[in-house]
Amino acid sequence: MTPSFSSYLINDVFGDPGVYVEVRWSKRALLFDLGHNDALGPTRLLRATDIFISHTHMDHFIGFDAVLRVALGRGKILRLYGPPGLIDNVQGKLRGYTWNLVDGYPLSIDVREFRRGELHGASFHASAGFQLCRHPPSPLAADDTSDIFSVLTDPMFTVRAVALNHRVPSFAYSLEEQFHINVNKQKLHEAGLPVGAWLKDVKQHIWRGRPDDFRFTATLYDEHRREERDFVLGELKARFLTISRGQKIVYVVDARYDDENEAKIVSLAKGADVFYCESPYLEADAEKARDRYHLTARQAGLMARKAGVRDLVVFHFSPRYTGQGDALEREALDAFRGG
Ligand SMILES: [Zn+2]
Ligand SMILES: [Zn+2]
């Protein structure tokens, strides 16, 4: 099975926190947090259309400029989601530069900030010199009693968020594929059909919710031979595809270990395939971690265990442990595996 999301840390475990998620079958990517991100390079930064910010402490937001720079001059809408105050933060960043020569640029920046029960939005258009344009607020309802709410619903996936206590709200996110589409290559082969880009189109039709009687023409390439074929979506589904459980990725940074945060994190991370969780401190320094509103490696491991995740990735290590990254990882994994 080829997973639809391929995710990884942007930097080393001691570097600025952030996760990059490539979405297969579509040329886009999601970005969690905006710390230093030069390591991604312009192509990958450009592909990021939706960016989710935990909070705007410097190590989570200093990379905004890098994204802006590559996106400038592109016909693109950059969507940013995050904490109360994000619109002001973006406006402040934009005001740091002179914009007299961008009026022909088609870039728009769309900012959505989560306030208590309300989504506040604003746009900044390059063509208008990035002047602030506010949208009327809309209600933001929690999905259930757990305080987790949906922030982006796409035919292929949903992104949910929950506010954690970091002395300021710090948002944790989950990314869940609605379902996964597997292609049976053996059966395709038996039917004399080649694999190739046409299958991406088939997947797109399914993600977009096209009905089973949807008819379309696909271009197939078989050893340099090009052929146009007509298909009915439902028939392809029945013969060559299986639909299974989708992937789930969870991103948690900068939060204190307390009952409320723990309950929210465990509920958000439930059954995740990959759980990215900060673990800046060793348990021996738990008091320091609490004072600084951060987690220890053991706390990250215990929550991963409670949430029954498949994989735990710890990061955002404090520089005080430089050279002891292994100890942080070991402590987290021991707690995760129940050692
Ligand atoms: Zn912070
Ligand atoms: Zn941080």
Side-chain angles (χ1 to χ4, degrees):
M1 184 181 104
T2 315
S4 300
F5 302 132
S6 148
S7 69
Y8 43 88
L9 290 176
I10 295 165
N11 297 306
D12 170 75
V13 285
F14 284 97
D16 281 358
V19 164
Y20 189 80
V21 183
E22 289 173 16
V23 183
R24 283 212 183 83
W25 335 120
S26 78
K27 285 198 179 91
R28 62 181 168 159
L30 310 177
L31 194 51
F32 293 91
D33 268 339
L34 276 180
H36 270 304
N37 49 27
D38 292 338
L40 288 173
T43 309
R44 281 185 292 177
L45 282 179
L46 248 185
R47 211 172 285 155
T49 49
D50 294 271
I51 303 176
F52 303 89
I53 315 279
S54 59
H55 61 305
T56 50
H57 279 159
M58 210 169 182
D59 52 329
H60 298 256
F61 200 54
I62 199 167
F64 175 84
D65 285 26
V67 171
L68 176 63
R69 191 162 197 185
V70 295
L72 209 60
R74 305 287 178 143
K76 116 167 212 172
I77 299 175
L78 193 61
R79 284 179 292 269
L80 266 73
Y81 308 79
L86 185 62
I87 294 170
D88 279 351
N89 292 141
V90 169
Q91 188 179 32
K93 286 268 192 191
L94 291 167
R95 280 188 172 165
Y97 302 99
T98 305
W99 300 111
N100 63 316
L101 293 174
V102 295
D103 44 336
Y105 286 13
L107 172 70
S108 290
I109 303 170
D110 211 5
V111 186
R112 292 161 203 202
E113 63 178 59
F114 320 132
R115 305 215 191 145
R116 231 169 245 287
E118 274 187 340
L119 186 75
H120 287 242
S123 302
F124 301 89
H125 304 286
S127 58
F130 287 123
Q131 269 193 55
L132 169 71
C133 168
R134 281 192 190 272
H135 308 312
S138 55
L140 192 64
D143 290 356
D144 45 42
T145 51
S146 64
D147 296 323
I148 298 170
F149 55 91
S150 303
V151 295
L152 173 63
T153 307
D154 179 275
M156 188 181 173
F157 57 80
T158 302
V159 178
R160 294 187 174 85
V162 71
L164 302 176
N165 183 357
H166 176 52
R167 206 140 148 216
V168 290
S170 170
F171 288 86
Y173 294 97
S174 75
L175 164 64
E176 280 176 79
E177 190 184 14
Q178 322 288 20
F179 50 82
H180 187 78
I181 307 167
N182 300 289
V183 178
N184 189 325
K185 292 192 180 130
Q186 182 62 32
K187 284 192 180 157
L188 272 184
H189 182 74
E190 284 164 14
L193 291 168
V195 290
W198 74 281
L199 291 169
K200 284 190 191 176
D201 297 338
V202 172
K203 290 187 177 190
Q204 284 300 335
H205 293 319
I206 298 174
W207 291 126
R208 287 194 191 121
R210 304 248 198 253
D212 281 355
D213 60 2
F214 178 72
R215 287 168 185 277
F216 62 100
T217 307
T219 310
L220 316 184
Y221 291 91
D222 204 357
E223 307 205 344
H224 309 298
R225 213 157 38 83
R226 185 175 185 276
E227 190 194 349
E228 307 271 314
R229 283 274 291 263
D230 294 327
F231 292 107
V232 180
L233 189 60
E235 283 172 20
L236 280 178
K237 265 201 232 162
R239 290 182 65 190
F240 308 114
L241 307 178
T242 44
I243 309 279
S244 59
R245 189 184 82 88
Q247 257 177 292
K248 179 171 177 181
I249 294 168
V250 172
Y251 178 81
V252 171
V253 284
D254 294 41
R256 185 173 70 169
Y257 192 63
D258 59 34
D259 289 349
E260 204 183 327
N261 275 350
E262 188 198 31
K264 288 173 175 174
I265 293 170
V266 170
S267 148
L268 187 76
K270 197 113 243 155
D273 296 280
V274 193
F275 176 35
Y276 292 94
C277 188
E278 75 147 9
S279 70
Y281 291 89
L282 284 170
E283 188 65 21
D285 297 317
E287 212 160 303
K288 185 137 227 134
R290 200 181 162 80
D291 287 350
R292 313 276 303 162
Y293 283 74
H294 277 291
L295 299 173
T296 69
R298 184 176 140 77
Q299 291 159 354
L302 289 175
M303 290 191 288
R305 187 177 173 78
K306 274 195 186 170
V309 307
R310 193 173 295 177
D311 262 322
L312 167 66
V313 178
V314 284
F315 64 111
H316 205 2
F317 295 174
S318 161
R320 63 169 43 224
Y321 304 110
T322 302
Q324 299 176 65
D326 288 354
L328 283 154
E329 244 150 61
R330 210 174 324 115
E331 182 177 291
L333 290 183
D334 282 351
F336 176 40
R337 294 187 184 128

